Amino acid sequence: MTTPDPYSQSQQPPPPPQVPPPYVPYPPQPYGYPPYVPPRPTNGMAVAAMVVGIVGVCGFLGILALIFGNVAKRQIRETGDQGDGMATAGIVLGWIGTAATIFWIAYYIIMIVFVGAAFNELENSDWPTSDWPTDDPTWAITLLAGF
C-alpha cells in the first residue's frame, strides 16, 4: 500500500520558513578611551585680580585690581591659560573701586572746604559772642521769650 502523497497536484507545497535578515553589526568602534587632555591652567594674575577687586571694591585696592587684571589679560592672550572671566571681573571691580575712591576723596575735600568756610564765617562775623548771658540762670527763658 502506498501512502498518499500529501502534496498532490491540487495542493501547493507550504511556503518556505521566514528567514530573518542577516545580522548587521554596528560599525566598528575604536577601542579604548580617548587620550587624556589635561585642562588648561588658570592664570594666577587673573585670580589675584578678582580677589583684590572683590576686597577693594570700595577702597584704594581697586587700582591694584586694574593693574593685575590688565596684566592677566595680556598673559592669557600670550599663553592661552584660563581665567579670562576672572581677569575681566577684576578689571570691572577695579574701576568701581577706583571710582568710589575718587568719589570719597572729592567728598572729603568738599566737606573740609565747607566746614572751613563755616568756621571762617564764624570767626570773622560780628555775632555778639561776648554779650551771651551765661552767668544769668534765666538766659534760656529770655532767649525763648524773643521767639
Side-chain angles (χ1 to χ4, degrees):
M1 173 147 153
T2 64
T3 50
D5 186 15
Y7 305 111
S8 65
Q9 304 272 353
S10 65
Q11 292 182 345
Q12 299 243 346
Q18 294 290 333
V19 178
Y23 173 73
V24 180
Y26 290 112
Q29 298 292 323
Y31 54 90
Y33 293 103
Y36 176 71
V37 178
R40 296 180 305 174
T42 303
N43 189 289
M45 290 296 274
V47 175
M50 188 176 70
V51 169
V52 172
I54 290 170
V55 171
V57 76
C58 287
F60 61 90
L61 292 177
I63 297 169
L64 286 177
L66 277 173
I67 294 169
F68 290 165
N70 286 319
V71 169
K73 285 277 205 179
R74 184 178 42 83
Q75 287 178 353
I76 288 170
R77 270 194 314 267
E78 292 173 0
T79 62
D81 291 345
Q82 288 184 347
D84 189 50
M86 287 189 274
T88 303
I91 291 171
V92 169
L93 292 172
W95 277 116
I96 292 171
T98 303
T101 301
I102 291 171
F103 168 77
W104 285 112
I105 289 172
Y107 174 77
Y108 287 131
I109 289 173
I110 291 170
M111 290 309 294
I112 289 171
V113 167
F114 282 148
V115 169
F119 278 122
N120 191 21
E121 181 67 28
L122 286 175
E123 287 178 2
N124 297 335
S125 67
D126 55 349
W127 290 17
T129 56
S130 61
D131 297 339
W132 194 256
T134 55
D135 295 338
D136 184 16
T138 60
W139 68 269
I141 298 171
T142 310
L143 181 67
L144 291 176
F147 292 109

